[in-house]
Structure formats: structure tokens, C-alpha cells
Amino acid sequence: MDIHTADLCDQFESELRICAPMFRSYGGRAAFGGQITTLKLFEDNGLVRKALEAPGNGRVLVVDGGGSMRRALVGDQIAALAVKNGWAGIVVLRLHPRLGGDRRDGHRCLRARHASAEDGQTQ
């Protein structure tokens, strides 16, 4: 089942916002979706590893990197851990707090779809 961003905007206009297209894909999936778990940190990917050691159950980890570009937050080993533990995906934001990186408003950040094509369930 494919659900497109435009359809979700029409159906849930007052309940969501769409992120600007600022992402790069480094994984094997063109799109992913799921319940969002957030993590705010600064230059410490150990916290990302700790979060991904837990069962993902199809969730998406959204990491606020605090604006730093000096440290890698997700590499091949951490990405493999996410796959192993059933996470649907990882989104790393590196926005500087003055550019909106410190907002924690609970809005969903939708990328290309809100459903998993593999199981056909809306997440």
C-alpha cells in the first residue's frame, strides 16, 4: 500500500507539518515510516548506539545533532545495529538551534510515505 505525502497533507492538514527537502539518503530504502522516537545530543554517538540497541519495532529514530558537523553520528556499524534491531530508519538533523534545531513540538516529519510498503500497514 502506497500512501503519498500529498494525500496525507489533504487528510491531516491541521495535524502535521512537512520538513523541507534537506535530507540525503545513505541507506538502501527510498522511503520509510513509523512511530518517531527522538534523541537530542551534541557530538556523542554513544547515545545513538544506546538507543538503537533497544528493539526498534518499526520505529524511526530522529536525532537532533545540535548543529555540530564535527562528529559522525551514524556510521556503518550503528546503521547495521538499527537494521538488526528492527528500526525502520534514522533521520539525523544537524540544524543549529537558531535555525529551528531546538524545537520539540511533536509534529511528525514526513518524507515520502507514511506506510511500510513491505507490510502494507499505516504506521
Side-chain angles (χ1 to χ4, degrees):
M1 171 200 258
D2 264 348
I3 298 177
H4 301 279
T5 303
D7 297 333
L8 291 171
C9 289
D10 291 343
Q11 187 175 351
F12 301 103
E13 181 178 356
S14 65
E15 299 176 43
L16 57 85
R17 293 185 191 177
I18 304 300
C19 295
M22 60 183 172
F23 300 109
R24 288 188 212 165
S25 177
Y26 296 100
R29 299 173 80 183
F32 54 85
Q35 180 182 357
I36 295 172
T37 299
T38 60
L39 183 61
K40 186 171 184 172
L41 54 88
F42 187 74
E43 297 184 354
D44 184 359
N45 73 350
L47 297 172
V48 176
R49 177 180 293 281
K50 183 175 180 179
L52 295 173
E53 286 173 348
N57 300 318
R59 292 180 291 162
V60 174
L61 182 63
V62 177
V63 180
D64 178 345
S68 177
M69 298 295 285
R70 296 184 305 197
R71 302 281 187 275
L73 297 178
V74 178
D76 62 331
Q77 293 176 1
I78 290 178
L81 182 64
V83 171
K84 174 184 164 202
N85 289 327
W87 289 82
I90 305 167
V91 176
V92 178
L93 305 172
R94 292 189 181 256
L95 293 176
H96 190 278
R98 284 180 289 198
L99 299 176
D102 62 345
R103 294 195 326 207
R104 287 286 177 255
D105 57 13
H107 286 92
R108 293 184 183 263
C109 178
L110 301 176
R111 187 146 177 233
R113 82 172 82 146
H114 190 67
S116 171
E118 289 78 23
D119 62 11
Q121 296 179 359
T122 303
Q123 301 176 4

